[in-house]
Amino acid sequence: MKKITRILICLVLCVFTFGLVACGRTTDNFTYPTAFDVTFGNGGLAVQKGDYLYFVNGYLSADSQTEKNYSYTVGALMIAKLDSNGEIIRNEDGLIGDDYYRVMSDRLSGFEATSLFVYGDYLYFASPCQEDEVNDSGDFEWAKQRVDFYRIRLDRSGDVERIYRSQVTNANLDYAFYNVGSDVYLLALESGESLNDNSAEPKSNILTCVRVGGETIEVATDVNAVSIKNDNSYNQIVYSTSVTEDNETTSELYWYDLASNNSKKLTSYTSNMQVKDVTNGYVYITLEGGRETELLRSVLSDTVDFTHVCYSSLYDNVYIAPNANAVIAIKGGTFEFYLYQSTLPSPIVVTDADASSVTYVGMANGSIFYIDASSNLKSISFNDVLGSVEPEIKTIATLSTDANTTYFDLDEDYLYFYQTVGSNSYLHRIRINNNLGETEEMVGIYLEDDIPEEETDETEETEDTA
């Protein structure tokens, strides 16, 4: 008979009128980070602040909500204490002890619009709307597909503040937070038509800028792409629009200054043009031609002068290196590196013989990271490619087949992702920097029924003799 060790986890949640935890303030025995602690990894599933980790405790879709609920554990927003090496502090059972974590908010945060941001004394996050609204038929219905944006103090003191409610569903929303001086801004591209917009000429594809504690501004409409990024590059925001007059559509490119709310037109094309990326002072666009779509690049300035990089439509995906010194085009399991040194020569080709297709994860530490069809997390070093060294494809680790390959958060030390345990998806992470055979680790708190069974030596002996 198996000997099973189970741990009962009690989450004592105090809920106030906004449905957010507020009971665990600085009067408890938990010490919180301050605004002066270093922030690391903004804009994803987890953000480190000093010796603490703010994170989303798993994934539930907004559609999975069957009733209005302010008491989630899977998908809740939490904070955990880290040791001096950045490791999560655990008990002997391998789980986080009650003394080392707190629930910041028990509203659902781990859903389709998750991106945490820490600045100053506040943590900014998103949650599905929990209110009713009148639909097109005149009936009240739950608007759970809208997104509410909030901020909460790092130490949970004070009231939670709602910043903005999206005018579109979470599937049509792209956003990022920025800080300029002491001000924090939310920039959102709300694609499609606004919900319940019954005007004669409804607006669509709206770029919206919200200054926290200030005004909400409609930057532009008919926006087809924008360089929204989580690296606080607020001075490198570029967007493209489509303007139709006399049955002719023109694409226009604008440079947007977030702080002054000023848009400057850079150029226009009669064919379909979209922003691909803006990084390190360079802007990349795609431009549809006769048969192929072309990728072009220019220095970001008042007068752009675009040059050809490659035909992006020949590949599955094209990505730009953070320092803009390389373009990586992926087709199946083949990577073509277009390198910017003195010139742009023919691409250096690297092929993963074991991968017919790959899932792109991101870039960090001068490498591109991806997952092959066998769930192997791999990397290719830019330094090798740039140094004309035969690039080595390194296998970092093999992920569980229960890992979710839809949502990723990559920083210099860890890859964060969701993984199914029991009946739910929880946040996990795996070391990407100097991984010495480490496997993924669970970051947060389990529901009681999902706590893995811990087998003792006696159990193993029993199974061996069975």
Side-chain angles (χ1 to χ4, degrees), residues 321-341:
N323 59 3
N325 66 347
V327 173
I328 302 93
I330 303 175
K331 178 73 172 179
T334 298
F335 302 80
E336 297 190 12
F337 292 82
Y338 292 85
L339 307 178
Y340 281 95
Q341 291 171 315

Side-chain angles (χ1 to χ4, degrees), residues 152-202:
I152 187 173
R153 287 188 176 275
L154 299 181
D155 61 1
R156 299 192 301 171
S157 64
D159 294 331
V160 66
E161 299 176 49
R162 190 175 74 190
I163 299 167
Y164 182 68
R165 173 168 294 169
S166 74
Q167 303 305 302
V168 296
T169 66
N170 55 56
N172 294 321
L173 179 69
D174 189 13
Y175 73 93
F177 285 99
Y178 300 87
N179 68 275
V180 184
S182 59
D183 289 324
V184 173
Y185 294 84
L186 167 67
L187 189 66
L189 176 59
E190 301 180 282
S191 302
E193 293 185 3
S194 298
L195 297 173
N196 301 334
D197 185 351
N198 298 317
S199 58
E201 296 182 2

Side-chain angles (χ1 to χ4, degrees), residues 95-260:
L95 303 177
I96 303 177
D98 293 345
D99 292 338
Y100 299 112
Y101 81 94
R102 290 292 183 271
V103 178
M104 296 294 296
S105 164
D106 56 354
R107 279 199 175 192
L108 180 59
S109 299
F111 68 115
E112 291 85 349
T114 300
S115 184
L116 304 182
F117 182 79
V118 172
Y119 181 72
D121 295 318
Y122 288 92
L123 168 65
Y124 297 80
F125 67 101
S127 180
C129 176
Q130 298 295 325
E131 298 178 12
D132 292 334
E133 66 179 9
V134 178
N135 60 24
D136 294 336
S137 301
D139 300 321
F140 280 93
E141 67 177 359
W142 182 10
K144 62 183 179 180
Q145 289 188 320
R146 287 189 191 264
V147 178
D148 282 339
F149 294 92
Y150 295 97
R151 72 173 182 174
I152 187 173
R153 287 188 176 275
L154 299 181
D155 61 1
R156 299 192 301 171
S157 64
D159 294 331
V160 66
E161 299 176 49
R162 190 175 74 190
I163 299 167
Y164 182 68
R165 173 168 294 169
S166 74
Q167 303 305 302
V168 296
T169 66
N170 55 56
N172 294 321
L173 179 69
D174 189 13
Y175 73 93
F177 285 99
Y178 300 87
N179 68 275
V180 184
S182 59
D183 289 324
V184 173
Y185 294 84
L186 167 67
L187 189 66
L189 176 59
E190 301 180 282
S191 302
E193 293 185 3
S194 298
L195 297 173
N196 301 334
D197 185 351
N198 298 317
S199 58
E201 296 182 2
K203 297 177 180 179
S204 62
N205 299 342
I206 301 173
L207 183 61
T208 302
C209 181
V210 181
R211 183 170 66 86
V212 177
E215 68 277 20
T216 296
I217 297 170
E218 182 182 287
V219 177
T221 59
D222 299 318
V223 176
N224 55 43
V226 61
S227 60
I228 290 180
K229 303 175 76 172
N230 289 308
D231 59 4
N232 203 42
S233 53
Y234 63 86
N235 59 345
Q236 298 186 53
I237 298 171
V238 176
Y239 64 89
S240 55
T241 65
S242 297
V243 180
T244 301
E245 292 183 359
D246 299 328
N247 295 323
E248 182 175 275
T249 300
T250 301
S251 297
E252 298 180 340
L253 189 69
Y254 290 87
W255 186 2
Y256 178 60
D257 182 80
L258 186 149
S260 66

Side-chain angles (χ1 to χ4, degrees), residues 272-335:
N272 184 21
M273 175 265 299
Q274 295 192 11
V275 178
K276 178 64 177 178
D277 197 3
V278 181
T279 185
N280 200 31
Y282 290 89
V283 55
Y284 290 81
I285 63 171
T286 57
L287 188 64
E288 290 185 2
R291 298 179 60 184
E292 304 294 348
T293 298
E294 188 178 14
L295 180 69
L296 303 163
R297 149 177 148 147
S298 172
V299 173
L300 180 58
S301 64
D302 292 345
T303 304
V304 289
D305 182 17
F306 285 99
T307 58
H308 172 85
V309 178
C310 66
Y311 290 104
S312 57
S313 53
L314 299 177
Y315 304 96
D316 298 331
N317 285 293
V318 175
Y319 301 96
I320 315 302
N323 59 3
N325 66 347
V327 173
I328 302 93
I330 303 175
K331 178 73 172 179
T334 298
F335 302 80

